Amino acid sequence: MVSRVRSQGMATVFTKIINGELPGRFVYRDAEVAAFLTIEPVAYGHVLVVPVQEIDRWTDMPAELWGKLNEVAQVIGKAICEAFDAPRCGYMIAGFEVPHTHIHLFPASDMSGYSLQNIIPMDQTDPAKMDDAAAKIRAGLRSQGVAGVPEDEA
């Protein structure tokens, strides 16, 4: 089996966010999984759930880590639905933008969010709305009793 686990070379942008080298609006974090808002959302509240370890393809993840990633995605999905009064939380794996496994989660009321062609460009997002979205999701996670939720930023 060919391993797609990155062990050498430059860190991905997600690793730089996880390590604090780049800013990120975290909604969840533990030793194995991190979740933060994407800078180019299909809707406010669009979260990326990533393993801390750089693994390019989700199909190459150890089963236990894949299970953990999805457990975290499920509780965040519930918080997203609650925070944005959304009938569904969209779930998508694309994986071509960054060679680091990531699950896209976003509030969904129709299929429009399932295309990354419909993003809000980074320079057109409202920072206050992004901060508010992160705070709402963190509050929803706290109301579920989820550990690993960072404090709200001032």
Side-chain angles (χ1 to χ4, degrees):
M1 179 169 137
V2 176
S3 174
R4 304 278 186 216
V5 176
R6 295 174 53 97
S7 59
Q8 297 179 6
M10 294 181 59
T12 69
V13 66
F14 296 158
T15 296
K16 290 178 180 181
I17 292 168
I18 291 165
N19 291 340
E21 298 169 41
L22 293 173
R25 289 178 174 91
F26 286 87
V27 298
Y28 177 89
R29 191 173 184 158
D30 68 23
E32 298 174 299
V33 177
F36 45 85
L37 268 62
T38 181
I39 59 171
E40 293 191 316
V42 295
Y44 289 103
H46 184 162
V47 172
L48 301 177
V49 181
V50 305
V52 170
Q53 180 183 12
E54 289 184 1
I55 301 173
D56 185 1
R57 298 180 185 181
W58 68 269
T59 52
D60 292 330
M61 293 181 82
E64 299 79 25
L65 182 56
W66 177 242
K68 171 84 182 270
L69 208 67
N70 279 279
E71 286 175 20
V72 171
Q74 187 175 41
V75 296
I76 292 172
K78 289 176 185 177
I80 287 171
C81 285
E82 178 184 305
F84 298 93
D85 196 26
R88 299 269 192 273
C89 178
Y91 175 111
M92 182 172 54
I93 299 172
F96 291 100
E97 315 86 31
V98 178
H100 190 147
T101 297
H102 53 289
I103 299 171
H104 294 261
L105 301 176
F106 48 90
S109 55
D110 58 39
M111 291 299 293
S112 64
Y114 287 87
S115 172
L116 297 178
Q117 301 300 313
N118 297 329
I119 62 166
I120 303 168
M122 178 177 57
D123 63 349
Q124 293 178 26
T125 59
D126 180 332
K129 287 182 180 180
M130 295 289 281
D131 291 340
D132 184 56
K136 284 180 179 179
I137 295 166
R138 286 190 292 263
L141 291 170
R142 286 187 196 105
S143 75
Q144 292 181 58
V146 175
V149 180
E151 294 299 317
D152 289 334
E153 298 172 12

